[in-house]
Amino acid sequence: MPESLDPIARLMATLAERAETMPEGSYTTRLMRGGTEKIGKKILEEAGELVEAADEPGDEGRNHFIYEAGDLIYHTLVLLAHKRVDISEVAAELARREGTSGLVEKASRPPKD
């Protein structure tokens, strides 16, 4: 399984580099120049498309769902890179939560004002 995640690590490295260099003609640069608002809108759009694709039947629907998951993950990684957060930090947070019930974890959070 870890080797299958190599493309995500390579993409994260590329996105971090793009966040530093902001090369012209790059879709990632365009997103990052739009900031959290532009990237966030794309994440919301892609999340909606992923949910819609989840209900599509058959192999074609499954393939579309996988495609949309890739889009959502890409745009999420763009936001992480924009905020100078590496995917390894997210992995560490997930590891910290491992073995803890989601309901227990949620109940331990401070209340929102």
Side-chain angles (χ1 to χ4, degrees):
M1 175 81 166
E3 290 173 7
S4 66
L5 298 178
D6 287 349
I8 293 174
R10 287 192 303 271
L11 176 57
M12 189 77 239
T14 298
L15 295 173
E17 186 269 332
R18 297 253 166 96
E20 290 295 321
T21 63
M22 301 291 266
E24 291 300 321
S26 164
Y27 174 65
T28 301
T29 296
R30 192 170 13 152
L31 285 170
M32 289 187 184
R33 284 195 175 134
T36 303
E37 182 178 354
K38 183 173 185 109
I39 302 166
K41 284 181 181 177
K42 281 303 292 182
I43 289 171
L44 292 172
E45 174 189 325
E46 298 300 342
E49 291 174 5
L50 177 67
V51 172
E52 288 176 13
D55 286 333
E56 295 175 9
D59 288 343
E60 189 175 320
R62 184 177 192 280
N63 290 337
H64 186 213
F65 178 69
I66 291 167
Y67 179 88
E68 294 300 342
D71 278 355
L72 178 58
I73 290 167
Y74 165 77
H75 287 91
T76 301
L77 293 177
V78 168
L79 185 56
L80 289 173
H82 177 68
K83 299 300 292 180
R84 307 298 199 259
V85 173
D86 189 77
I87 190 68
S88 64
E89 295 175 80
V90 177
E93 173 59 19
L94 292 174
R96 184 189 68 77
R97 296 182 196 180
E98 192 171 2
T100 303
S101 161
L103 295 174
V104 170
E105 193 277 329
K106 188 172 182 174
S108 72
R109 295 181 200 163
K112 293 182 180 179
D113 294 334

